[in-house]
């Protein structure tokens, strides 16, 4: 159990209507420091404020940092819920181990989130589809230009209201299959949630956006032949009645939504496979009419239906107006559990 010192703001902000995501923050932030020899210490909640850091701070130069992402949901009963926060705590430590960042006990990680959300719970919006996005992260804090793991770290949690992702319902998005840049290789840090994976993805994202595609689909870093994942989402295909997603191979981020989708499909008796999928298999399935659904999965949107894919000179559309039966059912079920509208047979919902 952490002993969390709370200093409340004396100037609470007026809570604005939720609109675009990521630039408005709640009244408070969680902080905890790490010092080698002493461990994690001084868990506290303070009014949201800027950091005071040396320009030599290690994170600015060598990118030793990790982050997580989850949401708090306002139920119809007025209560606030988290979705599988223990999974974020576990994944955070996997990232930490890869980046030589000291681990945080899972129960402390979840307690920190719970305490912060409870304090700022008025910020959890209640319009349909809205939520409060929670961003825990750790940065290397030594003011030192030497290349080595830092001896000091800052663990911080900030929160930002998030509007409904689906103003237009589950509108299908266009996906750019990237055949030049790669995101990660086996042995690298593709499975870790860390800024570097995003920094190296921007060039392809810009290219895809310029061409009118909203996301990049990455191929494996060696042969550029097997499908890995989308920008900040895992990818699923329904081919001839079977749901298929790339297996976790070390270069793919193990999404919590991905795990939930696999669990749900299997509980419904829908065959769900984790295996290698080549672009060629995908093109073949498309040409023979067996590619029934394509969708991305992630905390931000839960399910993003894909309606168009581009690979080299080929552009093809997926499904017609009727398509998307399974992805819609998954979307309704996961959001139903998150907002407390449906029973929670797997014990995924955590009340604040
Ligand atoms: C966070 C993330 C995902 C999705 O993970 P969820 O736990 O489902 O939100 C997928 N890919 C990448 C690269 C990510 O960073």
């Amino acid at each position: 159990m952490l002993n969390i010192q709370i200093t409340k703001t004396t100037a609470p902000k007026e809570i604005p209507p939720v609109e675009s995501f990521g630039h408005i923050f709640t009244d408070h932030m969680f902080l905890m420091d790490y010092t080698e020899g002493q461990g994690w210490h001084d868990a506290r909640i303070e009014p949201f404020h800027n950091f005071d850091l040396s320009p030599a701070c290690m994170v600015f130069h060598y990118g030793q940092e990790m982050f997580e992402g989850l949401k708090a949901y306002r139920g119809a009963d007025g209560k606030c819920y988290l979705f599988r926060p223990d999974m974020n705590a576990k994944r955070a430590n996997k990232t930490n181990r890869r980046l030589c960042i000291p681990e945080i006990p899972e129960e402390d990680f979840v307690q920190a989130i719970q305490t912060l959300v409870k304090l700022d719970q008025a910020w959890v919006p209640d319009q349909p589809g809205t939520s409060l996005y929670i961003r825990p992260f750790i940065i290397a804090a030594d003011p030192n230009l030497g290349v080595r793991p830092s001896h000091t770290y800052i663990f911080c949690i900030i929160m930002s209201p998030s509007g409904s992702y689906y103003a237009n319902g589950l509108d299908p998005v266009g996906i750019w299959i990237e055949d030049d840049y790669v995101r990660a290789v086996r042995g690298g840090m593709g499975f870790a949630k860390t800024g570097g994976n995003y920094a190296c993805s921007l060039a392809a994202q810009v290219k895809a956006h310029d061409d009118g595609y909203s996301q990049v689909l990455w191929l494996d870093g060696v042969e550029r032949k097997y499908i890995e994942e989308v920008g900040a989402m895992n990818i699923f295909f329904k081919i001839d009645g079977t749901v298929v997603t790339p297996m976790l191979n070390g270069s793919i981020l193990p999404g919590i939504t991905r795990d939930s989708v696999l669990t749900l499909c299997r509980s419904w008796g829908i065959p769900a496979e984790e295996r290698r999928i080549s672009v060629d298999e995908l093109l073949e399935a498309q040409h023979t009419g067996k590619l029934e659904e394509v969708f991305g999965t992630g905390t931000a949107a839960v399910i993003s239906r894909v309606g168009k894919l581009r690979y080299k000179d080929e552009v093809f559309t997926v499904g017609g107006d009727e398509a998307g039966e399974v992805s819609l059912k998954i979307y309704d079920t996961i959001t139903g559990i998150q907002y407390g509208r449906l029973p929670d047979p797997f014990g995924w919902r955590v009340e604040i």
Side-chain angles (χ1 to χ4, degrees):
M1 268 290 267
L2 291 174
N3 175 17
I4 305 174
Q5 298 298 318
I6 298 179
T7 310
K8 282 194 194 170
T9 180
T10 51
K13 292 177 248 186
E14 195 182 322
I15 301 176
V18 245
E19 2 164 295
S20 68
F21 154 82
H23 62 109
I24 287 166
F25 302 98
T26 67
D27 283 325
H28 298 93
M29 65 204 275
F30 175 91
L31 289 164
M32 182 160 72
D33 299 319
Y34 180 91
T35 310
E36 205 164 84
Q38 193 182 352
W40 288 106
H41 60 92
D42 287 291
R44 61 201 187 275
I45 289 173
E46 295 180 354
F48 187 94
H49 62 83
N50 289 346
F51 285 140
D52 181 13
L53 293 170
S54 162
C57 191
M58 278 185 158
V59 67
F60 298 141
H61 304 277
Y62 309 122
Q64 195 193 5
E65 76 97 37
M66 65 78 61
F67 70 94
E68 267 300 327
L70 70 162
K71 287 174 160 185
Y73 308 89
R74 175 79 65 186
D77 54 8
K79 291 177 183 158
C80 297
Y81 298 103
L82 301 173
F83 184 72
R84 311 186 74 185
D86 54 311
M87 296 283 281
N88 295 95
K90 282 196 187 77
R91 187 171 65 191
N93 280 335
K94 278 192 196 138
T95 302
N96 287 339
R97 287 194 287 274
R98 180 65 183 81
L99 283 135
C100 300
I101 295 171
E103 293 181 37
I104 294 180
E106 284 167 31
E107 56 280 12
D108 292 356
F109 185 93
V110 174
Q111 185 198 344
I113 292 169
Q114 292 246 18
T115 311
L116 184 63
V117 174
K118 194 163 191 174
L119 185 66
D120 278 343
Q121 58 182 298
W123 286 81
V124 182
D126 61 1
Q127 299 96 298
T130 61
S131 56
L132 183 64
Y133 185 79
I134 306 164
R135 167 54 57 84
F137 63 102
I138 303 175
I139 55 170
D142 281 10
N144 191 317
L145 297 181
V147 179
R148 55 157 175 81
S150 184
H151 302 316
T152 57
Y153 296 86
I154 298 168
F155 174 43
C156 180
I157 308 174
I158 56 174
M159 306 196 293
S160 176
S162 170
S164 173
Y165 236 82
Y166 293 110
N168 306 315
L170 285 173
D171 276 355
V173 298
I175 295 264
W176 169 285
I177 303 179
E178 175 61 39
D179 57 288
D180 182 15
Y181 294 116
V182 299
R183 171 186 176 272
V185 290
R186 229 160 306 144
M189 56 183 194
F191 67 88
K193 230 170 159 67
T194 183
N197 286 332
Y198 281 77
C200 84
S201 76
L202 296 175
Q205 186 185 310
V206 168
K207 203 164 69 167
H209 282 184
D210 286 349
D211 241 57
Y213 292 82
S214 66
Q215 300 269 351
V216 172
L217 178 63
W218 297 102
L219 300 179
D220 76 279
V222 179
E223 296 177 74
R224 287 176 223 186
K225 187 173 162 191
Y226 298 100
I227 286 164
E228 299 246 299
E229 65 172 300
V230 194
M233 293 190 291
N234 296 109
I235 188 90
F236 281 77
F237 306 96
K238 187 158 150 277
I239 301 174
D240 203 14
T242 298
V243 169
V244 192
T245 193
M247 63 198 229
L248 300 177
N249 59 358
S251 54
I252 294 175
L253 200 290
I256 295 163
T257 320
R258 174 188 182 278
D259 183 82
S260 307
V261 169
L262 288 169
T263 304
L264 281 179
C265 286
R266 287 165 185 161
S267 79
W268 293 332
I270 299 173
E273 297 174 356
E274 297 168 78
R275 61 172 173 82
R276 290 215 293 192
I277 309 158
S278 65
V279 193
D280 290 342
E281 178 185 346
L282 197 65
L283 294 174
E284 169 76 15
Q286 160 68 13
H287 291 147
T288 54
K290 290 182 175 163
L291 185 60
E292 294 154 354
E293 293 181 46
V294 181
F295 55 97
T297 68
T299 296
V302 186
I303 300 289
S304 253
R305 292 167 67 195
V306 175
K308 187 170 84 163
L309 288 135
R310 166 268 172 203
Y311 179 63
K312 295 185 174 162
D313 296 330
E314 236 180 306
V315 176
F316 57 93
T317 52
V318 186
D321 293 340
E322 303 295 299
E325 201 188 324
V326 168
S327 40
L328 281 175
K329 184 173 174 190
I330 294 168
Y331 178 79
D332 288 341
T333 307
I334 293 184
T335 54
I337 294 173
Q338 288 169 336
Y339 289 90
R341 290 189 301 263
L342 290 179
D344 177 27
F346 306 102
W348 286 342
R349 190 166 58 222
V350 174
E351 191 181 323
I352 294 284

